[in-house]
């Protein structure tokens, strides 16, 4: 998948092909405007206002409490971008917005879009990162409101993914204890515990994260079987031979190579013999010899916003090998954004 300018007729195609239009202007101003138009529409509840059926611009503005003039300017832009449809002088949801942007939809990603205000704010400081080489440290300086959208945003991205991921995570026969490092909302632990009735889970995360994720976990009604533990995975110890399976999903990109090595050593100590440590990460920027645009942009973002960037399965396996674990063949979940799962086993 690629993101970028798409010609909509043969003439435009030729203009792009022969480099006759100032693509950088479109790549920057249009991309930024596009992102903020959608985010603002979500923030004021525009898509929710259309959930009950089509409405005129004036009616939409009245439901959202927005100004009719500015609302009338935004609506055609959303319609031309596929987020709305027009019906006479009325607007209605498109399949795209109905599925992903109406808060009552089980697939709604609205919470993640609210986090984008913070994430795109960090991106505005990309030049600062480029000059200093110092990441901007995503996890410090977040307000309570941002922590809340962070945890909610992470949870909404798991919709439709948890069972698939849980199925791919090795849990030894008779396992009773799992640790979910940076587990946030606990959705993956919940799925694993539902799949393995003898399993209970500790969802380990930073204190601010736990504070905001606790209500999300409580919604699952798992009681003491899936519980939060506040701490810092980089400085806390996990004990000795007390877990059968340990997972870390979408977190290793926040840690440097050295931090991941040290963490894996602690995990290896905490695993019971025969136990497994599974690291799940987004695809690294270079896969199969060709740099993928989305993966490379994500890698740059993670590097700027946090400590490192994306990791390849072979890098993750090297941390496991160094910690005395036996790496298994990586599993790639294509339907889950290409998430790579690298498991390593503690010898019996
Ligand atoms: C990108 S989210 C992933 C959440 C969840 N595992 C998922 O896949 O949806 C990263 C999580 O790691 C947590 N985290 C970051 N640094 C951490 C640390 N040093 N110790 C524990 N948790 C940490 C964050 O608070 C956040 O909840």
């Amino acid at each position: 998948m690629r993101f970028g300018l798409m010609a909509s007729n043969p003439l435009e195609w030729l203009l792009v092909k022969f480099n006759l239009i100032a693509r950088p202007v479109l790549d920057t101003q249009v991309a930024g405007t596009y992102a903020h138009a959608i985010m603002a529409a979500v923030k004021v509840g525009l898509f929710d206002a259309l959930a009950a059926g089509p409405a005129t611009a004036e009616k939409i503005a009245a439901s959202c409490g927005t100004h009719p003039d500015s609302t009338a300017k935004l609506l055609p832009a959303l319609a031309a971008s596929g987020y709305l449809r027009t019906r006479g002088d009325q607007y209605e949801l498109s399949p795209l917005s109905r599925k992903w942007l109406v808060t009552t939809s089980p697939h709604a990603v609205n919470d993640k879009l609210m986090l984008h205000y913070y994430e795109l704010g960090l991106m505005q400081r990309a030049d600062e990162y480029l000059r200093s080489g110092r990441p901007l440290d995503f996890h410090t300086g977040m307000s309570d409101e941002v922590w809340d959208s962070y945890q909610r945003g992470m949870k909404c991205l798991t919709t439709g993914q948890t069972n698939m991921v849980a199925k791919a995570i090795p849990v030894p026969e008779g396992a009773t204890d799992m640790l979910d490092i940076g587990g946030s909302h606990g959705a993956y632990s919940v799925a694993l515990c539902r799949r393995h009735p003898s399993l209970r889970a500790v969802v380990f995360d930073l204190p601010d994260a736990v504070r905001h994720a606790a209500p999300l976990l409580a919604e699952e009604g798992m009681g003491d079987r899936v519980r939060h533990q506040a701490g810092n995975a980089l400085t806390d110890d996990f004990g000795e031979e007390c877990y059968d399976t340990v997972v870390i999903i979408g977190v290793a990109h926040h840690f440097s190579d050295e931090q991941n090595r040290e963490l894996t050593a602690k995990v290896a100590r905490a695993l019971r013999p025969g136990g497994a440590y599974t690291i799940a990460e987004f695809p690294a920027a270079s896969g199969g010899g060709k740099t993928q645009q989305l993966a490379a942009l994500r890698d740059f973002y993670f590097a700027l916003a946090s400590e490192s960037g994306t990791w390849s399965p072979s890098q993750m396996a090297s941390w496991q090998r160094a910690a005395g674990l036996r790496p298994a063949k990586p599993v790639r979940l294509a339907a889950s954004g290409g998430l790579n799962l690298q498991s390593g086993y503690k010898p019996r």
Side-chain angles (χ1 to χ4, degrees):
M1 209 117 55
R2 285 189 61 80
F3 186 84
L5 202 61
M6 277 180 291
S8 55
N9 61 46
L11 176 63
E12 288 173 359
W13 186 85
L14 286 171
L15 290 173
V16 175
K17 168 120 178 105
F18 292 104
N19 202 11
L20 294 172
I21 53 162
R23 202 183 119 181
V25 176
L26 302 175
D27 278 348
T28 51
Q29 189 184 9
V30 176
T33 308
Y34 189 50
H36 280 279
I38 299 162
M39 285 154 55
V42 168
K43 199 171 184 176
V44 302
L46 191 147
F47 299 108
D48 283 339
L50 287 169
T56 60
E58 255 185 27
K59 258 194 146 173
I60 296 169
S63 319
C64 298
T66 51
H67 195 284
D69 293 349
S70 36
T71 309
K73 291 286 181 199
L74 176 63
L75 290 164
L78 293 173
S81 304
Y83 280 85
L84 294 177
R85 284 176 171 168
T86 48
R87 191 191 272 210
D89 66 345
Q90 304 198 97
Y91 290 90
E92 64 181 3
L93 294 172
S94 67
L96 176 65
S97 51
R98 185 176 294 285
K99 177 170 180 180
W100 302 106
L101 297 176
V102 173
T103 45
T104 50
S105 161
H107 300 280
V109 292
N110 301 33
D111 289 321
K112 180 64 171 66
L113 265 66
M114 291 305 92
L115 181 63
H116 293 174
Y117 280 101
Y118 179 69
E119 297 190 309
L120 294 180
L122 291 180
M123 280 311 298
Q124 284 183 19
R125 296 166 57 197
D127 58 326
E128 193 184 310
Y129 164 63
L130 281 177
R131 284 182 219 283
S132 71
R134 274 193 305 278
L136 302 176
D137 199 355
F138 182 90
H139 292 102
T140 56
M142 275 200 261
S143 65
D144 247 21
E145 193 190 346
V146 177
W147 268 109
D148 199 55
S149 41
Y150 183 26
Q151 299 304 303
R152 289 180 182 283
M154 289 304 120
K155 169 128 193 210
C156 73
L157 291 187
T158 67
T159 306
Q161 310 287 321
T162 51
N163 288 338
M164 195 186 340
V165 173
K167 204 169 158 193
I169 290 175
V171 175
E173 182 111 17
T176 52
D177 295 281
M178 76 164 274
L179 172 66
D180 183 355
I181 301 173
S184 175
H185 41 72
Y188 291 113
S189 287
V190 169
L192 276 152
C193 285
R194 288 195 177 130
R195 193 175 164 79
H196 303 276
S198 62
L199 200 60
R200 57 181 172 253
V202 171
V203 179
F204 187 95
D205 211 308
L206 296 168
D208 281 323
V210 169
R211 205 152 43 83
H212 291 279
L216 304 176
L217 178 56
E219 281 167 13
E220 300 294 332
M222 296 297 281
D224 282 350
R225 257 189 89 199
V226 183
R227 65 176 177 86
H228 270 124
Q229 187 177 321
N232 186 333
L234 297 178
T235 50
D236 292 5
D237 192 56
F238 302 127
E240 201 172 338
E241 298 197 358
C242 39
Y243 295 106
D244 302 291
T245 192
V246 178
V247 301
I248 181 165
I249 303 172
V251 183
H253 58 257
H254 290 305
F255 303 152
S256 68
D257 181 67
E258 196 188 337
Q259 287 170 332
N260 273 302
R261 274 176 200 281
E262 285 171 9
L263 177 64
T264 308
K266 285 195 292 189
V267 169
R269 212 169 72 86
L271 278 175
R272 295 184 179 127
Y277 179 37
T278 301
I279 309 170
E281 271 301 313
F282 300 107
S286 303
K290 191 164 183 267
T291 300
Q292 305 292 329
Q293 183 204 30
L294 293 191
L297 287 171
R298 196 191 274 135
D299 186 41
F300 178 63
Y301 168 71
F302 286 154
L304 167 151
S306 211
E307 191 56 45
S308 55
T310 50
W311 296 109
S312 69
S314 63
Q315 286 163 317
M316 300 189 271
S318 78
W319 308 328
Q320 295 174 337
R321 217 170 280 113
L325 303 178
R326 291 196 186 124
K329 226 174 127 205
V331 174
R332 184 166 191 272
L333 299 179
S336 197
L339 206 62
N340 285 313
L341 268 62
Q342 175 61 54
S343 298
Y345 292 86
K346 183 162 176 170
R348 285 187 188 277

